[in-house]
Amino acid sequence: MIKVITYGTYDLLHHGHIRLLERAKALGDYLIVGVTADDFDKTRGKINVQQSLIERIEAVKATGLADEIIIEEYEGQKIDDIKKYDIDIFTVGSDWVGKFDYLNEYCEVVYLERTKGISSSELREEKRSIHLGLVGNSSFLNKVKDEAEYVNGIQISALCTDNLNIMSDEIKKVDFITNDYFKLINNVDAVYIRSLPNMHYDQIKYALNNGKHVLCESPLTLDEKQTMELFELAKSKNLILMEAIKTAYATAYRRLLLLVKSGKIGDIVSVDATCTSLKNNDNDWPGIYEWGPTALLPVLQMLGSNCKDYRIVSHIDKNTQLDNFTKIDFLYEHSVASIKVGDGVKSEGQLIISGTKAYVYVPAPWWKTDYFEIRYENQNNNQRYFYRLEGEGIRHELVSFVKSIENNIYLGNIDIIVTRDITKILNFFEKGIYQKI
Ligand code: CTP
C-alpha cells in the first residue's frame, strides 16, 4: 500500500485545496492530511486565519478525500510523521517547490501544480479589508506599516503626518498622504494614532464621532474620566476603541501572565519593572509618557486596580526641566510593586515577579522578549521558556484589532480597567502630583 501525506492550513476551503487533495490521493492508496494548528501557523507568518482548527478539520473531512487527518503542531513534525506513519510520498503545492527537498531522505517528495487564481489569503482579503490610516510624526509608523503586511483583512491606505522625511519608501506608497487629520478621517475605516498623548482625546473623539474605529498608542488620554467617556462613546456607536501597547501582544509576555496567574510562582508579592532608553530620537515622547504605559502593564495586569497608595518621584533634567527618570512605588493590600522608567537615564530593563514559591526573571529588554525563566530556591528546578517574538507584538495587536472589528466586540489583551488605570496614574503627572528631585 502506498501511503501519501500532505499538509496545509485549509482556511476557507476552496477548489484549489480540493484539487490538490484529489491529486494527492491519486498518488497512492492512503492519504493522510496534516492540518496546521493555529499557533504553529502563526510562526510561518500566516496570520488572521479565519476558521478555527476544528472548523478547518471538519472542512477537510467533508471532502471525503482524506483517509486520516492529523494535526501539525510543531516545526520538525513532518519527519516524525513520515517515520511514524511509514509514508511513501510527501506532497504539497508548487508554491513550496524546493522547500521540502530535505524530506527526500525519508520518502519521495512530489510538488503538485498549484491551482491558479485562488488562495485563502485572497478570500480573506475579499471577505473584508479594513482601510487603516496612520497618524503621527514618529518613525514607529513605518514598523506598523511593515507589520500590517502580515495581517489579512487590513490595509494601510492613508497617512497623516507633518514629518514625511522620516517615513519609509514603503509607507509613502499609501493611497493618500495628508497633514490634515480631518481629511484623513474621511478616507479611512479606522485609525492608528501615535500622535503626542495630549492630542489623543480630541483625535479619538473626532474619529469615533465620524464612525471610525480607533487603535491608539497608550496612554489613551491623560485623564481617567476622558478615557471612560471615549469608551462609552465607542460603545454607543458600535465601534472598537483599543489601546495599543505592543508588549501586551508579545507571545512570551502573554504566556508569562498566564503562568503567573495560574499560581506557578505562588502568591505574587512584588512586581518590579524597569524600562529606560537614552537615545532621544523622533520616536520618543517626553518623559514618563515614553515608557510609563509599558512598565505599568505588568503591575496592573498582575496586581489589579485596587492599589492603596502610590509614591511617585521624578528626577528633573537640569537643562530641559523635564522629567528624565521616574520611580513609582505601589502599595497593595498584600503585595507591592515598583516601576522605574527613564528617557535620558539608563538602567537594566528587566522584569522581576517575586512569588511565595519562585520568581520570574525576564531579562532586558523585557518588553520585547522571547524568553523568560522561572527560578526556584533549588536552581535545578529552574525552567526556561522560549517563544517567537513576531514584529515586537505589533502584528498580533493588529490581528486583535481586525478581529474585534469583524466580531463587533473588543477582543484585545488589555482590559478597559487597565487602560483606565494607566490614564489615572499618568494624570498625577498632568496635575503635578508627584515629588521632584
Ligand atoms: N494549494 C493549491 N492551489 C491553490 C491554493 C493552495 O494547490 N490555489 C495547495 C497548497 O500548495 C498546499 C495546500 O493546497 O499544498 C494547502 O494550502 P494552504 O496553504 O492551506 O492554502 P492557500 O490558499 O495557499 O493559503 P494562503 O493563501 O493562506 O497561503
Side-chain angles (χ1 to χ4, degrees), residues 279-304:
K279 56 181 190 332
N280 230 327
N281 63 26
D282 60 79
N283 281 326
D284 290 4
W285 281 343
I288 181 87
Y289 304 118
E290 177 66 14
W291 286 115
T294 303
L296 288 170
L297 190 70
V299 175
L300 297 171
Q301 288 193 316
M302 287 172 205
L303 299 180

Short mmCIF file of all heavy atoms in Angstrom, two decimals, residues 279-304:
data_model
loop_
_atom_site.label_atom_id
_atom_site.label_comp_id
_atom_site.label_asym_id
_atom_site.label_seq_id
_atom_site.Cartn_x
_atom_site.Cartn_y
_atom_site.Cartn_z
N LYS A 279 18.60 57.19 24.05
CA LYS A 279 18.57 57.94 22.80
C LYS A 279 17.35 58.86 22.77
O LYS A 279 16.25 58.49 23.17
CB LYS A 279 18.55 56.98 21.61
CG LYS A 279 17.40 56.00 21.66
CD LYS A 279 17.49 55.10 20.45
CE LYS A 279 16.30 54.22 20.24
NZ LYS A 279 15.49 53.78 21.29
N ASN A 280 17.59 60.03 22.27
CA ASN A 280 16.48 60.95 22.15
C ASN A 280 16.16 61.09 20.69
O ASN A 280 16.66 61.97 20.01
CB ASN A 280 16.87 62.30 22.74
CG ASN A 280 15.81 62.76 23.71
OD1 ASN A 280 14.63 62.48 23.50
ND2 ASN A 280 16.22 63.46 24.75
N ASN A 281 15.37 60.15 20.17
CA ASN A 281 15.10 60.25 18.74
C ASN A 281 13.65 60.63 18.49
O ASN A 281 12.89 60.89 19.41
CB ASN A 281 15.48 58.95 18.04
CG ASN A 281 14.65 57.80 18.53
OD1 ASN A 281 13.52 57.99 18.99
ND2 ASN A 281 15.19 56.60 18.46
N ASP A 282 13.30 60.62 17.24
CA ASP A 282 11.97 61.11 16.88
C ASP A 282 10.85 60.19 17.36
O ASP A 282 9.69 60.53 17.31
CB ASP A 282 11.89 61.28 15.36
CG ASP A 282 12.13 59.97 14.67
OD1 ASP A 282 11.20 59.17 14.61
OD2 ASP A 282 13.28 59.73 14.19
N ASN A 283 11.25 58.95 17.82
CA ASN A 283 10.21 58.05 18.31
C ASN A 283 9.75 58.42 19.71
O ASN A 283 8.73 57.97 20.17
CB ASN A 283 10.75 56.62 18.40
CG ASN A 283 10.77 55.97 17.04
OD1 ASN A 283 9.91 56.24 16.23
ND2 ASN A 283 11.77 55.15 16.81
N ASP A 284 10.58 59.17 20.40
CA ASP A 284 10.34 59.36 21.82
C ASP A 284 9.27 60.41 22.12
O ASP A 284 9.19 61.45 21.47
CB ASP A 284 11.64 59.79 22.51
CG ASP A 284 12.63 58.65 22.56
OD1 ASP A 284 12.32 57.58 21.99
OD2 ASP A 284 13.71 58.84 23.14
N TRP A 285 8.52 60.10 23.17
CA TRP A 285 7.60 61.07 23.73
C TRP A 285 8.28 61.66 24.96
O TRP A 285 9.19 61.04 25.51
CB TRP A 285 6.31 60.37 24.16
CG TRP A 285 5.37 60.07 23.05
CD1 TRP A 285 5.37 60.62 21.81
CD2 TRP A 285 4.27 59.19 23.09
NE1 TRP A 285 4.34 60.13 21.08
CE2 TRP A 285 3.64 59.24 21.85
CE3 TRP A 285 3.73 58.35 24.07
CZ2 TRP A 285 2.51 58.50 21.54
CZ3 TRP A 285 2.61 57.61 23.77
CH2 TRP A 285 2.01 57.68 22.52
N PRO A 286 7.82 62.80 25.45
CA PRO A 286 8.50 63.38 26.60
C PRO A 286 8.32 62.54 27.87
O PRO A 286 7.24 62.02 28.12
CB PRO A 286 7.83 64.75 26.75
CG PRO A 286 6.56 64.66 25.99
CD PRO A 286 6.75 63.65 24.92
N GLY A 287 9.41 62.45 28.63
CA GLY A 287 9.43 61.87 29.97
C GLY A 287 8.64 60.60 30.16
O GLY A 287 8.79 59.63 29.43
N ILE A 288 7.79 60.61 31.15
CA ILE A 288 7.05 59.42 31.59
C ILE A 288 6.21 58.79 30.48
O ILE A 288 5.99 57.59 30.45
CB ILE A 288 6.12 59.79 32.79
CG1 ILE A 288 5.32 58.60 33.33
CG2 ILE A 288 5.17 60.92 32.45
CD1 ILE A 288 6.03 57.78 34.34
N TYR A 289 5.75 59.59 29.53
CA TYR A 289 4.85 59.04 28.51
C TYR A 289 5.51 58.00 27.62
O TYR A 289 4.86 57.10 27.13
CB TYR A 289 4.27 60.17 27.64
CG TYR A 289 3.57 61.20 28.48
CD1 TYR A 289 4.01 62.51 28.52
CD2 TYR A 289 2.50 60.82 29.28
CE1 TYR A 289 3.39 63.44 29.34
CE2 TYR A 289 1.88 61.74 30.11
CZ TYR A 289 2.32 63.04 30.13
OH TYR A 289 1.71 63.94 30.95
N GLU A 290 6.81 58.12 27.44
CA GLU A 290 7.51 57.20 26.56
C GLU A 290 7.42 55.76 27.09
O GLU A 290 7.13 54.84 26.35
CB GLU A 290 8.97 57.65 26.41
CG GLU A 290 9.84 56.74 25.57
CD GLU A 290 9.44 56.67 24.10
OE1 GLU A 290 8.65 57.52 23.66
OE2 GLU A 290 9.90 55.74 23.42
N TRP A 291 7.72 55.57 28.37
CA TRP A 291 7.80 54.21 28.91
C TRP A 291 6.75 53.88 29.96
O TRP A 291 6.57 52.70 30.30
CB TRP A 291 9.19 53.99 29.53
CG TRP A 291 10.26 53.82 28.52
CD1 TRP A 291 11.32 54.65 28.30
CD2 TRP A 291 10.38 52.75 27.57
NE1 TRP A 291 12.09 54.18 27.28
CE2 TRP A 291 11.54 53.01 26.81
CE3 TRP A 291 9.63 51.61 27.29
CZ2 TRP A 291 11.96 52.16 25.79
CZ3 TRP A 291 10.04 50.77 26.27
CH2 TRP A 291 11.21 51.06 25.54
N GLY A 292 6.11 54.91 30.52
CA GLY A 292 5.16 54.68 31.62
C GLY A 292 4.15 53.57 31.34
O GLY A 292 4.06 52.60 32.10
N PRO A 293 3.38 53.65 30.24
CA PRO A 293 2.35 52.64 30.00
C PRO A 293 2.90 51.22 29.93
O PRO A 293 2.32 50.30 30.50
CB PRO A 293 1.75 53.07 28.65
CG PRO A 293 1.96 54.54 28.61
CD PRO A 293 3.31 54.76 29.26
N THR A 294 4.04 51.04 29.26
CA THR A 294 4.61 49.68 29.14
C THR A 294 4.99 49.14 30.51
O THR A 294 4.69 48.00 30.85
CB THR A 294 5.84 49.70 28.21
OG1 THR A 294 5.45 50.24 26.96
CG2 THR A 294 6.41 48.31 28.01
N ALA A 295 5.65 49.97 31.32
CA ALA A 295 6.09 49.50 32.64
C ALA A 295 4.89 49.24 33.56
O ALA A 295 4.92 48.33 34.39
CB ALA A 295 7.03 50.52 33.27
N LEU A 296 3.83 50.02 33.39
CA LEU A 296 2.64 49.84 34.24
C LEU A 296 1.87 48.57 33.89
O LEU A 296 1.17 48.01 34.73
CB LEU A 296 1.70 51.04 34.09
CG LEU A 296 2.15 52.35 34.73
CD1 LEU A 296 1.26 53.50 34.28
CD2 LEU A 296 2.12 52.23 36.25
N LEU A 297 2.02 48.11 32.66
CA LEU A 297 1.23 46.97 32.17
C LEU A 297 1.31 45.74 33.09
O LEU A 297 0.28 45.25 33.56
CB LEU A 297 1.66 46.64 30.74
CG LEU A 297 0.81 45.65 29.99
CD1 LEU A 297 -0.56 46.24 29.66
CD2 LEU A 297 1.50 45.21 28.71
N PRO A 298 2.54 45.21 33.39
CA PRO A 298 2.57 44.01 34.24
C PRO A 298 2.06 44.29 35.66
O PRO A 298 1.44 43.41 36.26
CB PRO A 298 4.05 43.60 34.26
CG PRO A 298 4.80 44.79 33.79
CD PRO A 298 3.88 45.58 32.92
N VAL A 299 2.29 45.47 36.16
CA VAL A 299 1.84 45.78 37.52
C VAL A 299 0.31 45.71 37.57
O VAL A 299 -0.28 45.00 38.39
CB VAL A 299 2.31 47.20 37.96
CG1 VAL A 299 1.73 47.56 39.32
CG2 VAL A 299 3.84 47.28 37.97
N LEU A 300 -0.33 46.40 36.64
CA LEU A 300 -1.79 46.46 36.66
C LEU A 300 -2.42 45.13 36.23
O LEU A 300 -3.45 44.73 36.75
CB LEU A 300 -2.29 47.59 35.75
CG LEU A 300 -1.85 48.99 36.21
CD1 LEU A 300 -2.19 50.03 35.14
CD2 LEU A 300 -2.50 49.36 37.53
N GLN A 301 -1.77 44.43 35.29
CA GLN A 301 -2.36 43.16 34.84
C GLN A 301 -2.17 42.05 35.87
O GLN A 301 -2.96 41.12 35.91
CB GLN A 301 -1.76 42.74 33.49
CG GLN A 301 -2.27 43.63 32.35
CD GLN A 301 -1.97 43.08 30.97
OE1 GLN A 301 -0.86 42.60 30.72
NE2 GLN A 301 -2.93 43.15 30.06
N MET A 302 -1.13 42.16 36.69
CA MET A 302 -0.91 41.10 37.68
C MET A 302 -1.51 41.42 39.03
O MET A 302 -1.99 40.54 39.73
CB MET A 302 0.59 40.83 37.83
CG MET A 302 1.16 40.09 36.63
SD MET A 302 2.93 39.96 36.70
CE MET A 302 3.31 39.79 34.97
N LEU A 303 -1.47 42.68 39.43
CA LEU A 303 -1.92 43.02 40.79
C LEU A 303 -3.28 43.71 40.81
O LEU A 303 -3.88 43.87 41.87
CB LEU A 303 -0.88 43.89 41.49
CG LEU A 303 0.51 43.24 41.67
CD1 LEU A 303 1.47 44.19 42.37
CD2 LEU A 303 0.41 41.93 42.44
N GLY A 304 -3.75 44.15 39.66
CA GLY A 304 -5.10 44.72 39.60
C GLY A 304 -5.14 46.21 39.90
O GLY A 304 -4.11 46.88 39.98
#
